[in-house]
Amino acid sequence: GSGKGRVNTKIFDLVQHSLMIVLPGQISELIDISPDFRATYIIMTDEFTNSLGIGNTFSLNNIVASSPYIHLEERAKDSLENYLTMCRNLIPQTNNPHQLEIIQLLTRAFFLGLGYFLHNVEQESRESRSSELTRRFLELVEQYYTEYRELSFYANKLNLTTKHLSRVVKEASGKQATEW
């Protein structure tokens, strides 16, 4: 199927053979999806992701934060399908003493291989000043929302007036800053 998805302020057209990676703390939603829309979700804890040992050689968080959605080329699509098949076959084998290590290695290999495609997408994508400010605003909301609800707090953190912050967030995300 098809549809639209949003990660923080960015809206993406969701089509077959695509990949969207949502990092912990990011706000994501599906918008206007077709009745035949199907997706596979892979949910990983921070602990598991950190155990992969790809932090220094593959800057996944920075790349994904700026470009969370890519349409997969044929080889990348095949790699994803193979990775999913291997994980689906391994997960039921609860008596396998190496299950976690195998899944870690499979996941590490998949992300290192996919890194090339993600890196190319990052190079093609440059955020506007409004999008960058909105992204920083959402990071602050993620960090402080339980303590601070006043827009002035976030505007001060970003060295902006509340009026300017409101305008920028509305322009970049389509939602009022107070809605976020």
Side-chain angles (χ1 to χ4, degrees):
S2 62
K4 292 189 181 297
R6 182 190 330 247
V7 177
N8 289 344
T9 61
K10 295 180 182 178
I11 296 177
F12 303 94
D13 290 321
L14 304 176
V15 296
Q16 188 175 18
H17 305 306
S18 297
L19 176 68
M20 181 178 286
I21 301 175
V22 181
L23 298 172
Q26 288 185 319
I27 301 166
S28 65
E29 62 183 316
L30 293 175
I31 308 166
D32 191 32
I33 58 172
S34 66
D36 61 342
F37 181 83
R38 300 289 178 267
T40 299
Y41 297 88
I42 304 169
I43 301 171
M44 299 178 195
T45 64
D46 279 337
E47 180 183 17
F48 179 81
T49 304
N50 292 337
S51 76
L52 300 177
I54 57 176
N56 293 333
T57 57
F58 179 63
S59 183
L60 180 62
N61 284 357
N62 290 334
I63 294 170
V64 170
S66 64
S67 302
Y69 176 81
I70 61 170
H71 184 74
L72 300 174
E73 295 178 11
E74 192 67 26
R75 288 186 341 179
K77 177 190 75 72
D78 291 343
S79 294
L80 176 59
E81 288 174 358
N82 289 334
Y83 165 73
L84 292 172
T85 298
M86 286 188 281
C87 287
R88 285 182 182 126
N89 289 336
L90 183 64
I91 289 172
Q93 298 176 13
T94 55
N95 60 342
N96 184 333
H98 305 290
Q99 180 188 42
L100 177 60
E101 186 178 4
I102 295 168
I103 290 176
Q104 286 170 322
L105 290 170
L106 288 171
T107 304
R108 184 171 195 261
F110 171 72
F111 278 117
L112 288 172
L114 189 67
Y116 168 78
F117 297 101
L118 292 174
H119 182 71
N120 283 344
V121 170
E122 180 200 27
Q123 296 303 319
E124 297 168 5
S125 169
R126 297 288 178 239
E127 290 184 320
S128 70
R129 173 84 172 132
S130 295
S131 293
E132 174 62 20
L133 283 173
T134 302
R135 183 187 61 75
R136 289 175 43 213
F137 165 71
L138 290 173
E139 287 173 354
L140 289 170
V141 169
E142 175 187 327
Q143 184 177 358
Y144 294 108
Y145 76 95
T146 58
E147 299 171 61
Y148 301 99
R149 299 237 179 229
E150 305 83 28
L151 191 56
S152 60
F153 170 81
Y154 299 99
N156 287 336
K157 285 277 196 192
L158 295 168
N159 297 316
L160 302 171
T161 66
T162 55
K163 183 177 179 178
H164 183 65
L165 179 59
S166 293
R167 184 184 59 74
V168 166
V169 171
K170 175 68 174 169
E171 176 185 300
S173 72
K175 286 186 178 183
Q176 299 291 335
T178 53
E179 290 180 75
W180 288 110

